[in-house]
Amino acid sequence: MAEGAGEEKKKFSIWDLPDVPMGQLLPHLELQRSRVSCNKDAPIHTESIQYSGAYASMGINNSSRLDRFSNNFRVEVVRLNEDDMEFDMIGIDAAIANSFRRILIAELPTMAIEKVFIANNTSIIQDEVLAHRLGLVPIHVDPRLFYYLSENDQPNEKNTIVFKLHVQCKRGSPRITVKSDALKWLPNGSELVKETRNAASDSSSKPETYTYFSCSQETIPEFVKNLIIPKYPDIIIAKLGPGREIELEAHAVKGIGKTHAKWSPVATAWYRMLPEVVLLEDIEDDLAEELKSKCPVNVFDIEDLGKGTFPNEEFGCQARRRRATVARPRACTLCRECIKGDDWEKRVALHRVKDHFIFTIESTGALPPEVLFTEAMKILEDECERVITELS
């Protein structure tokens, strides 16, 4: 009988396992909690772990706490110009980021053309199509200076902006293009006279128009130097052939994108989670060149390590060593080309940081993007206070 054959096998006990570290997550759990892992077939760990007792066995409180949020949350502006803005929102949940995006698109007010009174339109564009095109022309004016126009209100200098458009292509002249710069602001209100059925009305009285301005909008201090005009003067409204004419009056009022997209202050507002590209091992020489060529947005770069002594078909045993580095991880679009192929998933890992969002705001021109950001924050704060009030 072989030596030791009669000995009993050592029994395994769960008590022999090492203790779970208290107060900190294991590396793989921390990765699942804070990152979205992007494999070559599909992303995993996309959900947010909201349950406060998810890691209670490790002595970790996963609940949402105000002090923790205040310490971790920050905003970093990356790019800012006249019409667009890119910034990072760090330390928030995806639900808050999406709420901010929806407010930017649907709940920030602007001024847009709502009513169009057409006196004459002999162009090939139908009246309703022409009115729709006019409604989509961005107007460069601060909507905070105006009130909403309700059904019971009269159009006045505090809630209505009036534009006039009168363009004619004379017979024998070449075809002309009507652009948004043809819209002329009428600071004194409407000039179109209402049709009255009472023919015996007093001819000496002032004719009734479609607005009731008590004063000129030019007397308002904010409009003395900043005239109300379309943001972009070269938007094509219509094209007129010889003998054609358009004469109309357009009234702009205050509204929000939830009612109609013409009132949305942004051309687009979107976010993405911060990409994270990790090299799991040193990728050198020919593999480094291959990895760099795989990426269509040039995330990787090649670092020169100096001369080394390793076989090389072109230079013999003396060649300069090269190593791949992650130079521009923010540019990564997660196309996953770099992890396609044999064994590349063992060399490169792609992640998304769950609480780090890259926001982009493109303004239509009514308000600058930094003002849109602050106004959206105010609306989000007001909505949170309203919810707290209703629950209390």
Side-chain angles (χ1 to χ4, degrees), residues 101-342:
R101 179 191 66 85
R102 290 173 64 90
I103 290 173
L104 283 168
I105 294 174
E107 297 187 37
L108 274 179
T110 60
M111 303 294 290
I113 293 174
E114 170 68 2
K115 292 183 179 180
V116 179
F117 300 92
I118 298 178
N120 188 17
N121 179 22
T122 58
S123 69
I124 62 172
I125 300 180
Q126 299 92 337
D127 292 352
E128 60 272 18
V129 176
L130 180 60
H132 182 267
R133 293 178 67 85
L134 289 170
L136 296 175
V137 175
I139 301 173
H140 186 251
V141 63
D142 192 342
R144 295 172 293 183
L145 302 175
F146 293 88
Y147 299 112
Y148 287 99
L149 176 63
S150 65
E151 296 180 357
N152 300 324
D153 292 336
Q154 296 285 357
N156 56 54
E157 71 279 2
K158 294 294 185 179
N159 57 31
T160 304
I161 302 173
V162 182
F163 293 96
K164 181 181 180 180
L165 176 64
H166 189 189
V167 183
Q168 184 180 16
C169 183
K170 297 181 179 180
R171 295 187 182 276
S173 301
R175 185 187 303 271
I176 64 173
T177 300
V178 182
K179 297 184 178 180
S180 54
D181 59 356
L183 286 167
K184 304 303 180 183
W185 173 40
L186 300 179
N188 295 315
S190 175
E191 295 179 351
L192 286 180
V193 179
K194 283 187 177 181
E195 296 182 0
T196 57
R197 296 182 180 180
N198 186 7
S201 60
D202 187 3
S203 60
S204 62
S205 62
K206 183 179 179 181
E208 185 180 5
T209 62
Y210 288 93
T211 59
Y212 303 88
F213 281 25
S214 60
C215 65
S216 173
Q217 289 178 331
E218 285 182 322
T219 61
I220 300 176
E222 289 80 6
F223 302 144
V224 173
K225 295 183 179 180
N226 300 318
L227 299 180
I228 301 176
I229 56 175
K231 170 64 177 178
Y232 305 102
D234 56 350
I235 299 175
I236 296 177
I237 296 175
K239 292 188 177 183
L240 297 181
R244 305 295 182 179
E245 181 181 5
I246 295 178
E247 183 181 3
L248 58 83
E249 200 172 81
H251 293 194
V253 299
K254 188 175 181 178
I256 59 176
K258 188 184 296 184
T259 304
H260 193 282
K262 65 185 177 184
W263 279 298
S264 180
V266 294
T268 182
W270 59 283
Y271 63 85
R272 60 191 179 103
M273 288 184 284
L274 178 72
E276 186 179 66
V277 183
V278 181
L279 299 181
L280 302 178
E281 61 182 41
D282 289 340
I283 301 176
E284 299 180 351
D285 306 324
D286 293 340
L287 287 177
E289 296 289 349
E290 181 182 353
L291 177 62
K292 187 175 186 296
S293 63
K294 275 175 169 284
C295 182
V297 292
N298 201 24
V299 170
F300 303 98
D301 208 347
I302 301 297
E303 180 184 8
D304 191 352
L305 300 179
K307 290 186 178 180
T309 56
F310 58 91
N312 184 276
E313 295 180 359
E314 186 176 355
F315 302 100
C317 289
Q318 293 290 330
R320 302 190 69 85
R321 297 184 60 193
R322 306 176 307 283
R323 182 173 62 189
T325 60
V326 182
R328 289 163 288 275
R330 192 184 182 90
C332 179
T333 61
L334 292 185
C335 65
R336 293 175 287 192
E337 287 293 328
C338 59
I339 58 176
K340 293 180 180 178
D342 297 337

Side-chain angles (χ1 to χ4, degrees), residues 75 77 85 87 100 103-104 108 144 361 367-382:
V75 177
V77 178
M85 174 184 184
F87 58 93
F100 183 71
I103 290 173
L104 283 168
L108 274 179
R144 295 172 293 183
I361 300 175
L367 290 173
E370 65 271 20
V371 175
L372 294 178
F373 173 80
T374 55
E375 291 299 310
M377 282 296 185
K378 292 177 183 177
I379 292 177
L380 181 59
E381 181 181 359
D382 292 341

Side-chain angles (χ1 to χ4, degrees), residues 66-78:
L66 181 59
D67 56 346
R68 183 184 303 170
F69 175 81
S70 301
N71 293 331
N72 296 334
F73 177 72
R74 64 184 188 274
V75 177
E76 298 178 357
V77 178
V78 177

